[in-house]
Amino acid sequence: MTSQLPFLRERVALVTGGGSGIGRACAIALAEAGADVHVVDIAEEPAVSVAARVGGRAHVVDLADPASIERLPAAVDILVNSAGLQHVAPIPEFPAERFTLIQQVMVTAPFLLLRHVLPHMYAGGWGRVVNISSAHGLRASAYKSAYVAAKHGLEGLSKVAAVEGAPYGVTSNCICPGYVRTPLVEAQIEQQAAAHGIDPADVLSRVLLTRSAVKRLIEPEEVAAAAVWLCGPNTGYLTGTSLPLDGGWTAT
Ligand SMILES: NC(=O)c1ccc[n+]([C@@H]2O[C@H](COP(=O)([O-])OP(=O)(O)OC[C@H]3O[C@@H](n4cnc5c(N)ncnc54)[C@H](O)[C@@H]3O)[C@@H](O)[C@H]2O)c1
């Protein structure tokens, strides 16, 4: 149980998107559980400041660039794939290069990172892969073609990693949050308002929270607590799953 802190002492974690939002919360929570944390982000200042806070190392890289992934540490026991971005537009107006970038950062980079770190996990007989998917890995919403496609791709990748990793003590799971209070959500309020033709002030109640039974945003720390739990004791049999943290959205 997570009450036995610091149970991740001597484990090394790499968290993508660790400079902000869910990735930042995961970096902090994993460090509090005892892990050495590598904070990976394209944004330098937040990555450096989170790394300083957790006593870890910052790596400023663009995950859309495969060569940059090769330069990241490979001796990693816990991989948290959290880096992501959003674009909201109807399919006929969706910029093709934006679609491609979202697949690169949110599907191809997690694949390349798995290729990079799994040999170390296999050699040590233990590993935890936590993929920050989304309710949109399980359900679709209008105007999010790239994001929904990427998250469904990540769900499939996670399951394959679970099947291949099982003989080596490596689990792979997805966490599927509803709307989390992070800059990614704050940044899409204007885009959502334009796409739906409504006032930005009404986006939360009329778009984002309509399908959630719990009528609030979830906090990044609540997602991070689930990530740490997936890395804790007694979770070795839990693999290939998707954990909805969606306030009941996918129950309806
Ligand atoms: N916020 C939500 O409501 C929500 C809900 C479900 C799932 N998610 C998922 O959680 C993850 C984190 O989202 P968040 O809400 O914390 O967003 P965020 O914008 O707060 O953080 C995302 C981080 O990813 C980094 N990043 C983006 N592109 C990158 C690149 N090319 N290379 C390296 N780093 C890059 C950003 O710099 C940022 O620090 C994403 O995968 C997102 O899809 C978010």
Side-chain angles (χ1 to χ4, degrees):
M1 298 298 291
T2 48
S3 57
Q4 297 165 341
L5 298 174
F7 57 89
L8 292 179
R9 207 172 39 225
E10 295 174 10
R11 301 292 187 196
V12 176
L14 186 149
V15 182
T16 74
S20 176
I22 296 167
R24 177 180 183 276
C26 286
I28 292 168
L30 287 165
E32 284 172 356
D36 279 338
V37 181
H38 294 283
V39 179
V40 175
D41 208 292
I42 195 171
E44 181 168 3
E45 191 283 320
V48 168
S49 105
V50 172
R53 169 161 177 182
V54 303
R57 272 194 58 200
H59 304 266
V60 180
V61 301
D62 179 359
L63 290 167
D65 171 17
S68 70
I69 292 171
E70 286 299 316
R71 293 194 293 273
L72 292 173
V76 165
D77 308 301
I78 297 166
L79 171 64
V80 179
N81 285 308
S82 186
L85 63 161
Q86 179 61 278
H87 191 94
V88 181
I91 292 172
E93 295 158 28
F94 209 99
E97 64 283 2
R98 194 81 177 147
F99 186 94
T100 301
L101 174 66
I102 287 174
Q103 310 315 308
Q104 283 172 329
V105 175
M106 291 164 57
V107 187
T108 306
F111 162 72
L112 293 173
L113 280 161
L114 281 170
R115 227 171 50 145
H116 194 57
V117 302
L118 281 179
H120 172 84
M121 294 184 187
Y122 288 179
W126 192 92
R128 294 288 179 266
V129 180
V130 179
N131 295 301
I132 307 300
S133 176
S134 167
H136 285 113
L138 309 170
R139 296 286 187 276
S141 289
Y143 315 134
K144 294 189 172 177
S145 53
Y147 188 90
V148 171
K151 291 304 190 191
H152 278 68
L154 181 65
E155 293 275 338
L157 175 66
S158 180
K159 289 186 184 118
V160 174
V163 173
E164 293 187 11
Y168 304 97
V170 175
T171 69
S172 174
N173 292 286
C174 286
I175 297 176
C176 304
Y179 285 99
V180 189
R181 191 189 308 282
T182 72
L184 184 137
V185 162
E186 283 152 20
Q188 68 178 277
I189 301 278
E190 292 291 334
Q191 282 185 349
Q192 288 276 14
H196 289 269
I198 60 173
D199 195 278
D202 295 332
V203 166
L204 206 60
S205 60
R206 289 182 57 190
V207 181
L208 302 189
L209 295 180
T210 45
R211 288 187 278 181
S212 174
V214 181
K215 297 294 181 192
R216 68 168 175 84
L217 299 175
I218 179 173
E219 302 297 329
E221 292 73 20
E222 295 178 84
V223 181
V228 171
W229 174 71
L230 285 172
C231 298
N234 309 316
T235 52
Y237 204 73
L238 182 68
T239 195
T241 66
S242 303
L243 177 65
L245 278 181
D246 62 1
W249 169 349
T250 54
T252 58

